[in-house]
Amino acid sequence: MNQPTKVVYLGSLPFDQTEQQVLEVARSVGPVVDFKLFFDQETGKPKGYAYVEYQDLETAASAVRNLNNYTMGNRNIKCSYSGRLSIEDSIAESGDGIKLPPLPLGIDLIGTSDPTELTFKVVETLEYNKLLSVLKEARSMAKTSPLAMKKLLDENPQLAYALVHAGNLTRKMSPEDINAVLDKPVANGVQNAAAKEFASLPVQAQEQIRAVCALTQNQIEQLQPAEKNMIIQLKEKYSNVVNNI
DNA sequence: GTTGAGCGTT
């Protein structure tokens, strides 16, 4: 992985996009301090890459997260910190080799005092059917590639938080369901038993437990008191299991 | 007429 800098490299840009159009995409993650789009000096043809300087590291990090693989025209553009390593090298160097699908463009958090509460509000604006399809997709991913699901949730606790609330709003993970799982006795302090029990649970229950374990302490604090206690118990019981898969 | 990987046109 390249060293974080305020400057990011944008590559694989469509040749037919104007400087203004590329700049507009760059600005969608935050204010742009400096911007350079490169052309061949002799032919005047675009080289298909650009550099964007943001005002701070946070905005640049957001660009790397949100703009890499962003679809512009008919191409998936590349976005990484400025440096010599290729995108492929960065992925290979980042360890486990698990590649995650791109997430949709994030929303601007500048000036937000409570990002967790904002996540909750965004989830609430979704229609019931949309919530169901999001849960269904998460379940499917948990089933076909549990390691990728674990990585996705570890790296994006806001997604775990959103999934827990989606589970609540659609009554797919009611407090009663959580209690039912907790009521199953497990041999005292024996991780193996918890692991076996986890493996025997329905896939959707496993997926929800993974989501719960990915919640940060701050996010748990935001929950309703009733579910908060259950979430804490769930996390205590299963976090070692989930983290050792 | 021509491009698709590119990490800084001085």
Side-chain angles (χ1 to χ4, degrees):
Chain A
M1 198 69 157
N2 286 349
Q3 289 291 82
T5 49
K6 292 190 281 189
V7 182
V8 301
Y9 165 81
L10 284 184
S12 207
L13 299 168
F15 290 156
D16 59 359
Q17 301 284 313
T18 67
E19 199 163 358
Q20 275 306 318
Q21 287 172 306
V22 178
L23 182 55
E24 201 177 312
V25 169
R27 282 213 257 252
S28 67
V29 298
V32 169
V33 174
D34 196 15
F35 177 83
K36 287 197 191 78
L37 183 64
F38 289 85
F39 298 85
D40 186 286
Q41 281 309 131
E42 281 143 25
T43 68
K45 288 179 191 166
K47 287 180 162 269
Y49 66 85
Y51 289 94
V52 184
E53 181 176 347
Y54 289 102
Q55 58 184 356
D56 50 44
L57 289 170
E58 285 73 17
T59 314
S62 177
V64 172
R65 273 187 283 111
N66 293 309
L67 259 28
N68 191 39
N69 285 322
Y70 178 80
T71 302
M72 188 177 184
N74 54 350
R75 303 190 51 87
N76 285 351
I77 71 174
K78 303 298 169 199
C79 182
S80 60
Y81 292 116
S82 170
R84 301 299 129 156
L85 292 178
S86 72
I87 302 289
E88 290 308 313
D89 288 340
S90 306
I91 291 172
E93 283 192 7
S94 75
D96 56 24
I98 295 174
K99 294 180 188 179
L100 297 177
L103 288 175
L105 195 61
I107 62 175
D108 195 353
L109 288 179
I110 293 172
T112 305
S113 59
D114 194 344
T116 295
E117 187 58 26
L118 186 58
T119 303
F120 184 33
K121 285 189 176 138
V122 169
V123 172
E124 282 185 318
T125 66
L126 298 177
E127 290 171 15
Y128 181 78
N129 281 339
K130 183 68 180 169
L131 288 174
L132 281 185
S133 76
V134 167
L135 283 171
K136 192 176 168 191
E137 210 166 310
R139 199 176 307 149
S140 156
M141 182 170 173
K143 193 173 184 176
T144 58
S145 40
L147 284 177
M149 189 67 192
K150 171 170 158 38
K151 188 179 182 202
L152 184 68
L153 290 174
D154 284 345
E155 292 182 3
N156 301 279
Q158 78 280 20
L159 177 61
Y161 187 68
L163 286 174
V164 169
H165 272 293
N168 273 321
L169 292 172
T170 58
R171 308 296 295 167
K172 291 295 177 191
M173 188 187 70
S174 64
E176 292 74 25
D177 292 338
I178 297 177
N179 269 333
V181 172
L182 284 175
D183 283 345
K184 286 192 176 182
V186 168
N188 281 342
V190 179
Q191 275 305 317
N192 269 348
K196 272 183 194 164
E197 186 192 316
F198 181 82
S200 74
L201 291 172
V203 175
Q204 57 264 48
Q206 293 185 11
E207 191 276 316
Q208 295 290 358
I209 289 170
R210 276 201 186 83
V212 165
C213 289
L215 292 179
T216 65
Q217 197 54 43
N218 179 40
Q219 289 175 325
I220 292 173
E221 294 300 325
Q222 311 285 330
L223 298 167
Q224 306 294 328
E227 56 185 3
K228 186 170 148 184
N229 277 335
M230 291 181 279
I231 297 281
I232 290 172
Q233 289 180 60
L234 256 191
K235 199 176 169 182
E236 272 178 12
K237 181 171 171 182
Y238 286 110
S239 61
N240 281 336
V241 174
V242 169
N243 288 331
N244 285 327
I245 288 178

